[in-house]
Amino acid sequence: MRAIAVDIDGTITDPTRKLSIPALKALRKAESFGVPVILVTGNILCFTRATSVLIGTSGGLVAENGGVIYSRGKVKVLGDIKKAERAYKHLRSFYPVEKVQFSEFRVSEIAIWRTIPEDIIKETLRDFDIEVYDTKFAIHLTDPQVNKGSSLKIVAKDMGLKTDDIMAIGDSENDIDFLKVAGLKVAVANADPQLKEMADYVTTKEYGDGVAEALEKFIFQRRGIDCMI
């Protein structure tokens, strides 16, 4: 594996969104040995970029579930937020849903608080050109023409990589698309059952501890690097 693509919430963080120290150390160690880390998330780009700087990752960034990427020093908006806006307006005519904090910074999708079950939202929006994802932190209304996988392909190409060269690590249903295109698919122990079913490897540990476990097994040990984090 020549690169690592990893989700943020629920993968390198705990349920309260606190960053895992073992994951932080493992990702920094991978970077120090020339294995770039790509952050792939449903978060807004400014949050994703700040997380990248604080962790010390050097790969491109996939934000808003693939609707926005940061690659080669440039921001590209790939998703059409108008689709999400139409769907959200319709949904609000039936249910008192609310956008998550800092939604004014979202440019390709809408994320709402998890006050209504995902299946009800999907049924209400069945006639709209929209994808609905429940990340367990928010429910996202996104342009179905883009996803984490399609945008990871663009970032990988910009980095001179094939997605077959990438190990992808995630936890929720919105991670399915980017795990699908990766050469090595890893689900952390707390992952959605669907993600576990398609994964090449399911970690024995949850959240960031699972990320550190996967890097030890597939990156450090295979390079003969001392795997003590």
Side-chain angles (χ1 to χ4, degrees):
M1 296 292 102
R2 297 176 57 198
I4 300 157
V6 64
D7 171 55
I8 296 178
D9 292 324
T11 302
I12 61 172
T13 72
D14 68 13
T16 65
R17 300 187 75 191
K18 292 185 178 70
L19 182 63
S20 161
I21 299 304
L24 168 65
K25 290 181 176 179
L27 293 172
R28 284 185 177 175
K29 186 169 184 176
E31 285 277 357
S32 73
F33 284 99
V35 182
V37 175
I38 304 163
L39 297 181
V40 185
T41 178
N43 284 292
I44 54 178
L45 182 60
C46 56
F47 176 95
T48 309
R49 175 60 177 155
T51 303
S52 170
V53 171
L54 292 171
I55 293 175
T57 67
S58 65
L61 307 175
V62 176
E64 297 192 23
N65 291 302
V68 184
I69 63 172
Y70 179 73
S71 183
R72 292 180 173 175
K74 294 182 179 180
V75 177
K76 297 178 184 178
V77 179
L78 306 174
D80 182 0
I81 197 170
K82 291 179 181 178
K83 295 180 181 181
E85 288 171 342
R86 287 191 290 268
Y88 177 70
K89 183 179 179 180
H90 180 76
L91 187 63
R92 283 210 69 180
S93 69
F94 291 93
Y95 303 103
V97 292
E98 296 291 340
K99 296 178 183 179
V100 300
Q101 192 177 23
F102 305 122
S103 285
E104 64 270 26
F105 298 111
R106 288 189 180 270
V107 295
S108 73
E109 65 161 21
I110 288 175
I112 60 178
W113 296 113
R114 299 175 71 244
T115 55
I116 305 295
E118 179 189 19
D119 58 344
I120 291 177
I121 293 175
K122 285 184 174 180
E123 175 61 24
T124 305
L125 300 179
R126 66 184 184 278
D127 295 326
F128 286 79
D129 186 23
I130 205 78
E131 188 73 47
V132 179
Y133 294 115
D134 184 357
T135 66
K136 308 307 178 187
F137 294 90
I139 292 179
H140 298 252
L141 312 180
T142 74
D143 182 349
Q145 298 304 309
V146 296
N147 56 57
K148 286 185 174 185
S150 62
S151 292
L152 179 60
K153 287 181 179 179
I154 296 171
V155 169
K157 184 177 180 180
D158 287 348
M159 294 172 65
L161 298 171
K162 297 178 180 178
T163 53
D164 284 347
D165 299 326
I166 297 174
M167 175 173 74
I169 313 173
D171 77 297
S172 62
E173 66 175 352
N174 66 326
D175 296 325
I176 290 173
D177 292 315
F178 91 96
L179 259 69
K180 275 183 181 177
V181 304
L184 179 61
K185 306 163 181 52
V186 176
V188 286
N190 56 288
D192 184 276
Q194 224 181 331
L195 202 70
K196 288 182 177 179
E197 187 175 337
M198 65 170 292
D200 298 313
Y201 179 74
V202 179
T203 66
T204 60
K205 298 176 182 178
E206 297 184 332
Y207 303 101
D209 289 335
V211 172
E213 174 190 330
L215 266 64
E216 289 176 2
K217 182 178 181 65
F218 296 108
I219 302 296
F220 305 140
Q221 290 183 8
R222 293 190 179 189
R223 283 169 167 75
I225 300 168
D226 180 1
C227 63
M228 295 298 292
I229 302 297

